[in-house]
Amino acid sequence: IPFYRIIGESGGSLYSYAYNVYNLFLNISTAGIPIAISKIITEYNTLEMYEAKERSYKVGRNMKLNEKRIVNDIRLLALDMINAAGSGHPGIALDAAPTLYTLFAYHLKFDLERKAWCNRDRFVLSAGHGSALLYSTLYYLLDEFNLEDLKNFRKINSQCTGHPEYNLNNRIEVTTGPLGEGFATSVGLAIGEKYLESTFNKKKNIVFDYKIYALVSDGDLMEGISYEAASLAGNLGLDN
């Protein structure tokens, strides 16, 4: 179900719809979700809020209306996964969804066909407990998982594990979970890129120039390994 139709721009009722969905996730069981969702969709259909033609006026700073809906889709998809699993971390899914969307939509360099392309940018979710957000973002923007994968979040043999596990077929670059591990691995990846750059790049032939991006939590920064890795990165002058 396209959740943006529930909480999308609707005159003065945006916040009331968001509040209804929030209460929906808090107050009903997993089995009751389809019925409750269908009631909200029915209510939405009576409002006739949308025209077939896309509208391009802006909501918020530098963000088009449809991008707002995409971010809300990603948020609620992650919440639905967490709710179905009965465990997970909804806070990071709600708060960091705009960051991940912006990163994947505007900054990361990758090849849609060749997932293992050697000069792709790397993204590391050091805050591995926020895996539901990563999976929902990859599903929504790059079609990396299917709905059955998302429904099996945190279950045995699931593609969507509780913490990300290395799998280039799904664009998961690094296994993360222990706090600080992803941070330190990101520094290692940056060192590796610099080595490749110095070995293969020529003035007129740039082979490697990829960047490493990491989403780091406060928990990561409570671990000593993060500061040791940060000190090494500073000492080496890593700018990638």
Side-chain angles (χ1 to χ4, degrees):
I1 292 175
F3 282 107
Y4 65 81
R5 293 187 178 180
I6 303 172
I7 69 167
E9 190 268 341
S10 55
S13 59
L14 168 63
Y15 295 103
S16 64
Y17 267 86
Y19 184 75
N20 286 341
V21 175
Y22 176 73
N23 280 321
L24 171 71
F25 278 95
L26 286 182
N27 297 327
I28 66 176
S29 66
T30 302
I33 286 178
I35 297 174
I37 289 288
S38 67
K39 289 181 180 179
I40 292 181
I41 293 296
T42 302
E43 184 180 354
Y44 152 75
N45 286 333
T46 64
L47 295 177
E48 296 181 353
M49 294 183 292
Y50 293 95
E51 299 173 353
K53 200 173 182 181
E54 278 291 326
R55 291 174 289 182
S56 61
Y57 58 85
K58 292 185 177 181
V59 173
R61 184 179 179 185
N62 298 326
M63 200 176 245
K64 292 182 179 180
L65 175 64
N66 63 336
E67 291 186 304
K68 275 281 194 182
R69 297 204 300 263
I70 289 170
V71 169
N72 284 330
D73 270 7
I74 292 170
R75 281 173 167 149
L76 288 172
L77 190 56
L79 289 182
D80 206 6
M81 293 167 60
I82 293 166
N83 186 71
S87 65
H89 299 264
I92 190 171
L94 290 169
D95 190 56
T99 303
L100 248 66
Y101 167 74
T102 302
L103 188 61
F104 276 85
Y106 293 106
H107 298 283
L108 283 180
K109 175 179 63 180
F110 51 83
D111 190 311
L112 290 173
E113 301 297 327
R114 296 177 298 159
K115 297 180 182 180
W117 176 44
C118 61
N119 199 37
R120 69 190 182 279
D121 288 340
R122 274 71 163 168
F123 173 72
V124 178
L125 183 66
S126 188
H129 56 278
S131 57
L133 173 60
L134 178 59
Y135 302 143
S136 62
T137 302
L138 290 172
Y139 167 79
Y140 199 97
L141 299 182
L142 295 174
D143 202 24
E144 288 303 322
F145 297 93
N146 58 49
L147 279 176
E148 287 305 312
D149 291 331
L150 301 188
K151 289 177 182 178
N152 289 323
F153 174 59
R154 286 187 164 230
K155 294 181 180 177
I156 294 176
N157 298 324
S158 171
Q159 290 288 316
C160 297
T161 52
H163 292 79
E165 295 181 2
Y166 171 76
N167 185 350
L168 281 187
N169 289 328
N170 290 327
R171 299 186 191 272
I172 306 297
E173 296 282 353
V174 174
T175 298
T176 56
L179 294 173
E181 177 201 356
F183 186 110
T185 305
S186 299
V187 174
L189 290 171
I191 294 172
E193 190 280 334
K194 286 298 182 183
Y195 172 78
L196 293 172
E197 190 178 309
S198 65
T199 303
F200 296 102
N201 286 6
K202 307 299 179 185
K203 288 185 178 179
K204 294 183 179 180
N205 185 21
I206 303 301
V207 181
F208 293 102
D209 62 353
Y210 62 86
K211 306 293 183 186
I212 291 84
Y213 297 84
L215 180 61
V216 182
S217 68
D218 55 346
D220 288 298
L221 298 180
M222 293 177 187
E223 300 296 332
I225 189 173
S226 298
Y227 296 93
E228 293 169 359
S231 178
L232 177 60
N235 185 56
L236 295 176
L238 300 178
D239 57 2
N240 57 339

